[in-house]
Amino acid sequence: MKNIVIIATGGTIAGSGEAGRTTEYRAGTVAVADILKSVPQLGKLANIEMISLMSVDSNEMDEQKWLQLREVINQQAARDDVDGIVVTHGTDTIEETAYFLNLTVNTAKPVVLTGAMRPATATSADGPFNIYQAVALAADDQTYDCGVVCLFSSTIYSARDIAKINNYKIDAFSSLNDHAALGYMRDAEVFITSRPVSKHTIHSKFSQLEYSALPKVGVAVYYAGAPAEVLERLGQDCDGLVVIGTGSGNYSQAWRQKLDALAERGVVVVRSSRVSNSIVFDEPIFDPHDHFIGVNTLTSYKARILLMLCLTQTNDIAAIRQTFFKY
Ligand code: ASP
C-alpha cells in the first residue's frame, strides 16, 4: 500500500456547529483525525500519517502561511517513504493556496487539496467523501507529475484553473475559460482525462528558489465611476498592482493616466477582468499600448500570486509577460 501524509489546515471540512445544520458553524474547530474516523475505508486505500499544521478559516491564510505549508510539503515529499500528500483546506481561498503551491513545491509526487462546503456536523457532510477520494487520488500513479490538483465532488481540477463559483452548493467549483477539468473519480477509481500544459511544480522556476517573504502586490477593482485616487494609495504601498477591469480588462481614462504614472514610478501593472470567463491580452483592445501585462486566462487573484513570485526575480515587463504566458 502507498503511504499518504494528510496535512490539515482548517476550513469548513473541520468545522462544527449545531448537529444537522449547514450554517452558523465555526470553521477549523474539529481535528481532521476525528473526521478520518468516520471514513474507516481509508485504511484500505493507503497507510495514513497526519500532520495538524494549523486550524484556521482559510480567510486567515496569508503569504507566510503559504510559505510554511510549502516547506512542510517539500519536507514530506522528499521522504522516500511518502508517496503522496493531501492537504485539507477551507474552500474560500483554496484556489489561491493551490496555485501558490503549484508554482512553488519541488516535487512531482501527487499533492491533492480538498475541503468541504458543509461542516463535519451537518447532515450529509461532504468532507468525509472528499477526503476518501483525495487520498485515493494521491495514492494513484496517474496523479504523478500532474501539478498540484484539487478534488471536489468526484472531479479533479488543476490548481491553475480551479475557481469557486458557488457558495451554497456542494458542487461549488469549476474550471474557468473552457479549460477542462483534469478528470473525475468513481469512488476510489481515478480517471485522468487531460494533463496541464502550464508550468508547475518541478517544471516551475519558482520551485527551485527559497523565499523568506514575498513582494507586495495589491488588487484594485474598477467599476463605473471608480475614483482614480484609490490607485495612489495602493501605488505607494505596492511593488505591483493587479487591476480588475471590466470586459477585456478595461477602465476609464482617469485610471489609465494614474496607472501610467505608477508604471513610470516602477510599479508593475497587470490587467485582468471582472468577467469570470475572460482572456486579457497584453495589448488592450480599445487603447493599444504596451507597458502593462495581460493576465491571459488567469484569474485576478492568481495573477497576484504569479506577479509576487515574478517580482522576486525581475521587474522587466517583457520577462514577466513571458512568464505569464507559460505559467
Ligand atoms: N470560510 C470557510 C473557509 O474557507 C469556508 C469553507 O471552508 O467552505 O475556511
Side-chain angles (χ1 to χ4, degrees):
M1 267 204 307
K2 297 274 183 80
N3 300 317
I4 303 299
V5 176
I6 301 180
I7 303 172
T9 70
T12 293
I13 193 164
S16 64
E18 199 182 311
R21 294 191 60 176
T22 60
T23 55
E24 288 174 42
Y25 63 91
R26 290 197 41 229
T29 48
V30 177
V32 174
D34 286 337
I35 301 171
L36 297 190
K37 286 185 201 143
S38 65
V39 200
Q41 314 85 324
L42 268 187
K44 291 191 183 136
L45 291 180
N47 302 311
I48 309 285
E49 243 179 80
M50 276 287 316
I51 298 177
S52 287
L53 185 62
M54 52 188 98
S55 195
V56 294
D57 184 299
S58 73
N59 294 290
E60 305 301 331
M61 278 286 168
D62 56 23
E63 292 85 356
Q64 281 307 318
K65 292 194 181 79
W66 288 343
L67 290 171
Q68 193 188 348
L69 179 56
R70 174 209 192 207
E71 196 180 316
V72 174
I73 291 175
N74 278 344
Q75 280 164 1
Q76 294 304 314
R79 286 172 50 189
D80 290 339
D81 61 345
V82 168
D83 299 297
I85 289 161
V86 170
V87 178
T88 57
H89 195 289
T91 62
D92 283 344
T93 66
I94 196 168
E95 62 206 62
E96 292 176 61
T97 302
Y99 187 54
F100 176 77
L101 297 173
N102 191 51
L103 295 173
T104 59
V105 296
N106 192 14
T107 181
K109 291 181 185 175
V111 177
V112 181
L113 273 69
T114 194
M117 291 297 288
R118 292 180 182 159
T121 45
T123 303
S124 301
D126 49 333
F129 192 59
N130 282 343
I131 290 186
Y132 176 75
Q133 291 200 313
V135 167
L137 184 58
D140 198 293
D141 290 339
Q142 293 175 78
T143 320
Y144 191 84
D145 202 17
C146 267
V148 171
V149 301
C150 298
L151 183 282
F152 279 97
S153 295
S154 303
T155 312
I156 306 159
Y157 299 98
S158 87
R160 186 190 184 282
D161 297 321
I162 188 172
K164 186 170 181 177
I165 50 131
N166 190 292
N167 66 5
Y168 61 96
K169 291 182 185 169
I170 287 178
D171 200 3
F173 290 90
S174 185
S175 279
L176 297 182
N177 283 317
D178 299 328
H179 289 149
L182 298 186
Y184 58 96
M185 294 188 69
R186 183 171 181 258
D187 287 330
E189 256 184 299
V190 175
F191 301 87
I192 296 284
T193 51
S194 49
R195 301 179 77 83
V197 291
S198 301
K199 286 190 184 289
H200 60 73
T201 59
I202 55 169
H203 313 286
S204 159
K205 58 187 173 188
F206 304 113
S207 67
Q208 310 303 321
L209 304 168
E210 288 308 319
Y211 312 90
S212 53
L214 295 171
K216 273 189 121 184
V217 173
V219 177
V221 184
Y222 179 74
Y223 51 90
E229 288 69 41
V230 293
L231 298 173
E232 193 53 50
R233 175 67 209 277
L234 281 169
Q236 276 161 14
D237 289 352
C238 299
D239 311 296
L241 193 60
V242 176
V243 181
I244 305 181
T246 56
S248 53
N250 309 319
Y251 31 75
S252 65
Q253 279 305 307
W255 270 49
R256 163 79 196 279
Q257 280 158 21
K258 198 59 104 183
L259 291 171
D260 282 348
L262 293 183
E264 255 168 51
R265 279 177 12 210
V267 178
V268 176
V269 176
V270 169
R271 296 169 41 254
S272 69
S273 171
R274 69 186 187 187
V275 178
S276 50
N277 286 292
S278 57
I279 307 174
V280 178
F281 295 99
D282 286 328
E283 210 170 88
I285 293 179
F286 300 111
D287 178 21
H289 56 276
D290 63 0
H291 46 282
F292 301 151
I293 296 158
V295 289
N296 299 310
T297 58
L298 271 182
T299 62
S300 318
Y301 309 103
K302 291 184 188 178
R304 175 179 166 269
I305 292 166
L306 184 55
L307 183 56
M308 284 193 296
L309 290 167
C310 287
L311 288 173
T312 63
Q313 304 303 300
T314 180
N315 55 9
D316 180 72
I317 301 293
I320 298 176
R321 278 184 168 168
Q322 280 298 315
T323 304
F324 266 71
F325 198 66
K326 294 187 188 142
Y327 287 70

